[in-house]
Amino acid sequence: MDIKITNGTVITPTDTYRADIGIQKGKIVEVAQRISGGAKEVVDATGAYVFPGGIDMHTHLDMPFMGSSSSDDFETGTIAAAHGGTTCIVDFAIQGKGESLKKTLNAWKARARGKAVFDYGFHIAICDLTERILQEIPKAVAEGVTSFKTFLAYKGALMIDDGALFQILRKCNEAGALVMIHAENGDIIDLLVKDLLTQRKTAPKFHARSRPPEAEGEATGRAIAIAQMAGAPIYVVHLSCKEALDKVQEARDNGFPAFAETCPQYLILSYKNYEEPGFNGAKYVMSPPLRDKSNHAFLWQGLASGDLQVISTDHCPFNFKGQKDRGKKDFSQIPNGAPGIENRLCLIYNEGVNKKRISVNRFVDLVSTTPAKLFGLYPEKGTVTVGSDADLVVFDPKQKYTIRAKTNHQNVDYTPYEGYKGKGAPRVVIAQGRVLIKEGKFLGRPGQGRYVKRKPMRLV
Amino acid sequence: MDIKITNGTVITPTDTYRADIGIQKGKIVEVAQRISGGAKEVVDATGAYVFPGGIDMHTHLDMPFMGSSSSDDFETGTIAAAHGGTTCIVDFAIQGKGESLKKTLNAWKARARGKAVFDYGFHIAICDLTERILQEIPKAVAEGVTSFKTFLAYKGALMIDDGALFQILRKCNEAGALVMIHAENGDIIDLLVKDLLTQRKTAPKFHARSRPPEAEGEATGRAIAIAQMAGAPIYVVHLSCKEALDKVQEARDNGFPAFAETCPQYLILSYKNYEEPGFNGAKYVMSPPLRDKSNHAFLWQGLASGDLQVISTDHCPFNFKGQKDRGKKDFSQIPNGAPGIENRLCLIYNEGVNKKRISVNRFVDLVSTTPAKLFGLYPEKGTVTVGSDADLVVFDPKQKYTIRAKTNHQNVDYTPYEGYKGKGAPRVVIAQGRVLIKEGKFLGRPGQGRYVKRKPMRLV
Amino acid sequence: MDIKITNGTVITPTDTYRADIGIQKGKIVEVAQRISGGAKEVVDATGAYVFPGGIDMHTHLDMPFMGSSSSDDFETGTIAAAHGGTTCIVDFAIQGKGESLKKTLNAWKARARGKAVFDYGFHIAICDLTERILQEIPKAVAEGVTSFKTFLAYKGALMIDDGALFQILRKCNEAGALVMIHAENGDIIDLLVKDLLTQRKTAPKFHARSRPPEAEGEATGRAIAIAQMAGAPIYVVHLSCKEALDKVQEARDNGFPAFAETCPQYLILSYKNYEEPGFNGAKYVMSPPLRDKSNHAFLWQGLASGDLQVISTDHCPFNFKGQKDRGKKDFSQIPNGAPGIENRLCLIYNEGVNKKRISVNRFVDLVSTTPAKLFGLYPEKGTVTVGSDADLVVFDPKQKYTIRAKTNHQNVDYTPYEGYKGKGAPRVVIAQGRVLIKEGKFLGRPGQGRYVKRKPMRLV
Amino acid sequence: MDIKITNGTVITPTDTYRADIGIQKGKIVEVAQRISGGAKEVVDATGAYVFPGGIDMHTHLDMPFMGSSSSDDFETGTIAAAHGGTTCIVDFAIQGKGESLKKTLNAWKARARGKAVFDYGFHIAICDLTERILQEIPKAVAEGVTSFKTFLAYKGALMIDDGALFQILRKCNEAGALVMIHAENGDIIDLLVKDLLTQRKTAPKFHARSRPPEAEGEATGRAIAIAQMAGAPIYVVHLSCKEALDKVQEARDNGFPAFAETCPQYLILSYKNYEEPGFNGAKYVMSPPLRDKSNHAFLWQGLASGDLQVISTDHCPFNFKGQKDRGKKDFSQIPNGAPGIENRLCLIYNEGVNKKRISVNRFVDLVSTTPAKLFGLYPEKGTVTVGSDADLVVFDPKQKYTIRAKTNHQNVDYTPYEGYKGKGAPRVVIAQGRVLIKEGKFLGRPGQGRYVKRKPMRLV
């Protein structure tokens, strides 16, 4: 046996139990009250939880942007993620104008190759739909891309129209792929941005004003309505507010397979952050923007009740100095995005489990199991059973920490959570059956991560 | 006194009472238990109701279309309307590409001048929004155009985008004008039409298949959401189905001023009509299309409860032979529209009041009073009080009739209600204080109708 | 002509128009732009509204209570009401244990006879249902009692069980009578009262704590559900909170004839009043209790949208000294009720119309027209049309006032609105075609009011 | 090792995976890809699922009724249940008038002792609440009774009033016990029964007419509202219709811990069964009654979405001859109840999993895991993990069967599912680490079942 994890408490969405776990050739091979046989390496999990490694369905590593790129590449980004207990990501490959999906996928594979330290997959964002692209979808699915993203925002850039969305939904559903949607009304936002700039309202907080929650609610309702017409399930990314949640809840109450993720920033930060002194608000410029904090309670309730199924990060880091500051005189020039890949599990455990908003089982479901199921990574990933990949976190619920940019491993000069104090952090992180992180030390090597051909979506 | 109406029962949305009515110089000057003084003309209303003349907020007379026009002009159309108890219409002046609102309005005024037999106004449909057009809105309001229509359907033709809708809503609200919306998702419909034609599904019924009720529900919800963001009221035209009604109801339950009209065809006819033999289904090709008859009960309930406030006709006649038949081989080439201006009051009285779905007071509210209030015609029109215009119907609730194209006065070779039998019809119709129709005979003359400068919207 | 009202602006729920009004033999006989003929009395309504006299559907005059009575009898009560613009009340005749409805009605008629200064009717509250009482309902209807009240609160006293309510609903509906319901869960309240007293929580504010809004929401939902099973309409009295309003709204959205009234106190006062120093909170002890002020906005919206149809007072005055103080050591011994009959129109006009929450037309509808229609007083009362009773208010929208117990005419030593300042008050009040109040002076005489046999309910 | 289950596919609510399972001393001690060591007994699970034994939370064995008893005692009932894959039940101990909870519990323990073939627990139904009984609740909890049932139906017998329910909810919540509610409005039903019998409507189908779905909807809403006031979770038993489901869904959408079970009969049978010839309808006389089949789809959707969490049987068998026939002339004399304990898993697997309404994981959740968690049996029961009780079913999804009374093991002369054909049945059933059923043969002995002291409720 390669590794034996002893004395831990196994957590899955269903179960909590004391057991030893045996790992061989990258797989879990045994779960027993006590594994008596020897092992090359013994990981002591006394006092700790053992749960499946975090899966982050929403990252933007090494993403080209206005001549530069998001500041983490697949090496720095996955190392940072691993420190935080994440052992798999699915990043967005973004189709260029006129570009084939094959070319898009290959470009992103090249970005990750030789760098990623754990397994990864890709969604493709379709930004320029043609009949040819539509026909290419099943081929991409055969290559393991079983989810496609679309944008109802970013007019004139990534935004597609309702007809294109309808076609993508229909085609993806036939092919077994799930459509993800960035749901904000790009037309309205485009207009509000112009209005604000005309009025010389250029500070970072006006970014939020230009993207009201009603614009997200509207687009979410529209996307779901179009999905219903297409007879296809839909997955709403980075849902941030009650207005949008209401639409998802209504659809689900009627038995329609609408799914949604939210992100730690929408659960913890708020519009108030945009009013920090100077240009500091720019650190939080992302889309959708941070909302009024009254939304927190609704989002937590959605996570608890099942109306929200996934917590991802939308990790898209840009340095405060050198990147964010492009928008000093015009909020619309601030690169959209913020870092988060490293702190997701710790933040959600502390805010969710410690504060009794969700159980530890639900926590595991949200950060690992359901993402794995919806996006074709299960049962290899997202659970702790014999036969599954040995991607595991030994998580110490008592460990205290303070988040700081300088101690974080992300390649970005700030964190939106600077000074945040919490309890509960990974002690050991195992991926592909090898110890990747041990007591805060990275023991892996760049490039050991594998591209994962994902299976068709599986509705939960 | 010019006219004295004796022994009738006056009906307003609030009241039902026996009274004589005295008319002088085009106005009601007295309402009394008995008017003893003499009058040039005495109209005997024994056994009859006396209520305000019908107001039709949605007509398309002499509307240019593909080189021809809708088959009724302002003379034939208003004469037909008068026969049915309507004494005022507001027709749609449709902005051409690049055209100023002033030019549009003048063009339509010219169409009506010398022809209309009773008072009329115009909405302007804005189809090509520019900053200049936006600035022209207050001027049009000053000219008495206090409502503007927009289209979320007819992609590539009349359709505007969400940003344009937002701007129009905001500007109109400032100017005191109400925005009317044709709410169907044009992107989706455009795609479905292409799909159906590709599959050689060309018969009239496929018109309905290309415009599912969900596409109307979605666009209605979107339009209301945009109105909420703009802080402006909105009026949904020709609402046809439960999916759309639900959105209006939800908004109103939350106190938002969303209004909607439906039309007789959506209350009486249904999808089944498209399956009539041969090309007959083309008679019913209109947008939105006729729906499954399960919608009737919901629409009647909406009318009774107040969630729907107006019944208009969307009268837009095209001859079955010579116009409708352009689409024999392709439903998308069938001119959209059907006649109805003449039969609205009779149909709604019979279906609504006789069948006890609504009271006679609510009937008057729906066909006259609320339209007058919402669209700036009240208190001159839409009610029976001293000081109001003497636009009145003496309506015999016992008179039986059968609707037939050949006995109708509309200038079109068919009626969707051929053979319909009902009870309750105008005995005398008075407009501008003169008897216009008496026992089925037209006593007016073309051109006596006046353009009405409407006042700002008044939310009810 | 007996009276001519000149130069006023007539207000009905539908209309607002300038007209003179002619009155003869207690009836309105003419409405004209100008009535040139002479009249015995001319009332100048220049600058004033003329609308139908207020109708108060919920009063408790001379109501026996623990050996004493509510402090206003039919003389003081109706005089006070008349000062405030009310010209008709329907009071509650409360069935005693084992008593026949006939006896109940006669007892209350005797209370009013020779005292009331304007017309009045009675509801009967059924508190002890037997088969004999059930059979007596149609007879009471024939006597003009076309509404019956039931209580789901006051366990061990007035409260009936769900089966009795069901039977009353079924029988009343057959007989054309409307069932009114006091909807609070008496079982729960009884228990909470005992709990609080056990904990020595005896101050007035604990009255409110013993009757949570959820107990009203529950009982309202239950009453409506039972009405639905019985196939009968229902009318919820003194609805005070969002929890109950939601139930009414839901029923109405589904087309069910559920109706509800609220009262000025629930729109203006709040739980905070219970926390006034000393025993002052006792002034506001009524059931349901005053609620958190967050309910105000919901109730106003319900009034505007039509989900609430009536504003009554639940006038049930007890002197602060000598009556309220029975409960000094035990809130459950404070007589339930507060005065309000005199100030309803002024308060609602100021809070509703002046603050633009409702139109003046809606105001008239709520305080007069709809009550008249629902409870069989229309068209004699509740409107301004020829043929209607000359029960009219000439209301000066500019007149300022301050409410004070000492200047009020109610026979009670306090008012919950002490010091309230507003604008808009009656200038002249006419009842039965005679001037009853002129510039604050009472010109009528006790006993001139008549018992009104009300007609069957008329759903609006 | 005592038992080794080889080659099966383990099913839990979260997971589906191939593994061997090792059992020792009644517990699962190992789960591994292959268990190489020997075992006293090897159970071959090739081609079969291995999941936790079914738990039936709602049974009435040996229940006294009008001088006789339900026809299954704890021996015949548990043997029948075991044949069907159930390995634990929680039966109802019903408090007699004036009886202490201790006495009630002891009486029921005596009924089970020496008879039950697998583990069992008891809920106590509180039918006569006094202060003393209230104080006894925590003691009963200490004895392992962590759930209490109450009735809003059966007026004059089991029914308690709303105040008692409130007190029980409050006390149970403090003590960690879950309150179960039979939610039908007993007042209304009592009245309808009398009405029907007065009209000589005595046939079995009138049982259903006397208990309309609205009466269940109302009581469900009321129970939840009372639970909200008490701040306590609530569990609705045998929910049968959309009206009730809507109330549960609404509460859960607002984050309130309302739970509900339904039963196979409400998912498969319908009102039509009451119309079977002769007195056959009596076989289906139970409360709530079978509903219109339109409810099936809503209930299945509730099970899939999570708004319903448990499937129990409400097994309460009475022989058609000798017991049901007491009501030949009066439906109200037919003993209420029907058999079902033996066929639950087979019916739900076939209707749910085979017909793709729910996944096999959700199936396990509904019939075993969630019941175990809610009612304090987890983690010993309701799951397959090391450390859990070895209560397991080896279930062959391919095995075909026909349900017949004569081949069933239940001690009752009929089954409501006579002739029902399905696929998927237990091959081997293991309880307490021993093979209880093997290929349809019972290998256990009466009395080996143990009374289980249940832990406090655990909200899921």
Side-chain angles (χ1 to χ4, degrees), chain A residues 43-55:
Chain A
V43 172
D44 181 16
T46 304
Y49 292 134
V50 182
F51 52 70
I55 301 177

Side-chain angles (χ1 to χ4, degrees), chain A residues 12-20 27-34 249 252-256 301 305 307 361 369 373 378-379 382-388 458, chain D residues 12-20 27-34 249 252-256 301 305 307 361 369 373 378-379 382-388 458:
Chain A
T12 71
T14 294
D15 289 309
T16 303
Y17 60 99
R18 263 281 301 106
D20 287 1
K27 297 279 179 185
I28 297 170
V29 294
E30 185 179 357
V31 179
Q33 286 198 308
R34 183 146 307 278
Q249 189 179 65
R252 293 180 66 85
D253 278 352
N254 292 323
F256 185 76
Q301 188 186 300
S305 74
D307 285 323
N361 308 89
T369 310
K373 287 184 175 176
Y378 181 87
T383 192
V384 180
T385 60
V386 300
S388 297
R458 168 188 159 133
Chain D
T12 71
T14 294
D15 288 309
T16 301
Y17 61 100
R18 264 281 301 105
D20 287 0
K27 296 279 178 185
I28 297 170
V29 293
E30 185 179 358
V31 179
Q33 285 198 309
R34 183 145 308 278
Q249 188 179 66
R252 293 179 66 85
D253 278 352
N254 292 324
F256 185 76
Q301 189 186 302
S305 74
D307 285 323
N361 308 88
T369 310
K373 287 183 175 175
Y378 180 88
T383 191
V384 180
T385 60
V386 300
S388 296
R458 168 186 160 134

Side-chain angles (χ1 to χ4, degrees), chain C residues 281-299:
Chain C
K283 293 177 178 173
Y284 314 99
V285 166
M286 62 186 82
S287 297
L290 300 176
R291 305 296 188 187
D292 185 84
K293 69 178 159 48
S294 62
N295 289 284
H296 294 172
F298 292 106
L299 296 179

